Amino acid sequence: MDRRGTKRKMENVEVAEPRNKLPSPAPSMSTDPALYSGPFPFYRRPSELGCFSLDAQRQYHGDAQALRYYSPPPTNGQGPNFDLRDGYPDRYQPRDEEIREGLDHLLHWLLDHRGQLEGGPGWLAGAIVTWRGHLTKLLTTPYERQEGWQLAASRFQGTLYLSEVETPAARAQRLARPPLLRELMYMGYKFEQYMCADKPGSSPDPSGEVNTNVAFCSVLRSRLGSHPLLFSGEVDCTDPQAPSTQPPTCYVELKTSKEMHSPGQWRSFYRHKLLKWWAQSFLLGVPKVVAGFRNPEGFICSLKTFPTMEMFEYVRNDRDGWNPSVCMNFCAAFLSFAQNTVVQDDPRLVHLFSWEPGSPVTVSKHRDAPYAFLPTWPLTECTG
């Protein structure tokens, strides 16, 4: 009965909005995991094209000045005992989340390196340009039960650009974020301060300010199925002791999680948190996640390393677990859906892809504000 109701509702939408008739394929896409099982699709090993840094004022620099170096505590049989609450809120400078940056920093990098891309600007004409975080959301969609998303898509000079739009629900949640959640966010950044040094071989200095404006971003090239990808993602640190110093294989992702005490808690951790860690790290080609487990008082009591390529093993025999093939097949299918939907080359025209758990992905068309996200400065310079 529900399914009939949904179908009727969708028919009504199409009848009510004939002027917005979108080019084929149909303007919706199912996210049911069963539809995307099958062999793992081709995913080209990500190769780093370059990097950039954002400073304490969130200003762009086309270099690696914000890169930090992995420097774990000595393993002496005792837990690290890091106090993640130290410095909160006095030595905390959180980024202003009201400022919507879109793809601006990545476009800045692209503008500086457009002529040096392997395959030239012509390669870019068939590519998809976005942030790693947006692709992570796509990978986890078939298993996501709580948070929806919106992705704005525009085509310019053949390239498809994807930029996330904050959903009304996410905005309301952010503005009403309780103090405990704000403190937990701080603790994640504080953990990085305990685990990273400013220079190779030196020791971490956790006495300074935690400023979340600062970021080091890797820019990578890859291909998923038939879709060439150029994307950027924030990197926590590089490991000077890594077997290979070739990025991204020398990068390390740092995470925190609460201590687990029962098989049920671990099962839930593997099903939900590990899925997100895997998606994030796999896309970028980061080989491992180092997790710090914190007690209720906010101290890190133990560290555990999760190699990215072994994460699926924790859920392989779990009926309610996740499957990497489903994640990647869905992402590839969505990229095809977007490529076939956004056919007009016009940076002022935006196709907004919207998704809520339990529903299909839908599309609406918009022109200019508030959804247009490609700023005019790179566009004029690219065409000039």
Side-chain angles (χ1 to χ4, degrees), residues 3 83 113 168 180 208 224 226 234 254 260 275 322 333 346:
R3 285 203 349 235
D83 180 3
H113 299 87
L180 181 64
L224 173 55
S226 60
E234 197 174 327
L254 299 170
M260 250 88 56
L275 163 61
W322 45 275
D346 179 357

Side-chain angles (χ1 to χ4, degrees), residues 213-365:
N213 288 295
V214 179
F216 169 78
C217 296
S218 172
V219 181
L220 301 109
R221 176 184 175 171
S222 183
R223 183 158 69 86
L224 173 55
S226 60
H227 306 291
L229 298 172
L230 188 150
F231 59 95
S232 178
E234 197 174 327
V235 171
D236 291 335
C237 57
T238 184
D239 183 359
Q241 307 294 317
S244 162
T245 53
Q246 184 70 38
T249 55
C250 53
Y251 292 150
V252 180
E253 183 70 40
L254 299 170
K255 297 286 189 191
T256 60
S257 191
K258 63 179 184 185
E259 267 188 314
M260 250 88 56
H261 300 288
S262 70
Q265 287 177 327
W266 278 108
R267 207 161 38 241
S268 174
F269 168 81
Y270 296 144
R271 281 176 191 168
H272 305 294
K273 203 163 256 195
L274 211 56
L275 163 61
K276 290 186 172 157
W277 293 4
W278 169 80
Q280 205 181 14
S281 301
F282 179 76
L283 279 166
L284 209 64
V286 174
K288 65 181 180 183
V289 173
V290 176
F293 291 93
R294 63 173 189 276
N295 65 19
E297 289 73 50
F299 283 85
I300 292 290
C301 301
S302 63
L303 300 174
K304 184 172 167 62
T305 298
F306 294 92
T308 305
M309 301 309 271
E310 294 172 23
M311 290 181 186
F312 172 55
E313 297 305 320
Y314 290 98
V315 292
R316 188 185 285 278
N317 300 316
D318 182 348
R319 259 187 345 181
D320 298 312
W322 45 275
N323 185 328
S325 298
V326 169
C327 299
M328 295 297 278
N329 283 324
F330 171 76
C331 187
F334 174 84
L335 296 178
S336 296
F337 180 51
Q339 287 276 34
N340 295 332
T341 302
V342 187
V343 288
Q344 206 173 322
D345 206 290
D346 179 357
R348 293 171 55 196
L349 178 67
V350 174
H351 284 75
L352 188 66
F353 293 84
S354 303
W355 177 74
E356 285 299 324
S359 308
V361 178
T362 57
V363 196
S364 55
K365 267 184 181 178

Side-chain angles (χ1 to χ4, degrees), residues 3-82:
R3 285 203 349 235
R4 276 208 306 277
T6 308
K7 193 171 177 198
R8 220 175 13 249
K9 214 156 50 184
M10 281 188 66
E11 282 166 3
N12 289 345
V13 167
E14 286 182 23
V15 172
E17 300 184 303
R19 285 168 306 157
N20 248 8
K21 200 87 171 123
L22 294 166
S24 57
S28 74
M29 175 187 176
S30 172
T31 65
D32 180 355
L35 297 173
Y36 303 101
S37 62
F40 198 87
F42 172 79
Y43 185 61
R44 177 181 154 168
R45 184 189 293 270
S47 56
E48 186 174 85
L49 297 174
C51 64
F52 59 87
S53 296
L54 303 174
D55 66 20
Q57 283 75 46
R58 205 70 184 166
Q59 295 302 301
Y60 175 95
H61 301 270
D63 57 28
Q65 64 177 258
L67 179 61
R68 289 175 299 172
Y69 297 85
Y70 181 59
S71 179
T75 46
N76 51 12
Q78 295 174 314
N81 212 32
F82 299 149

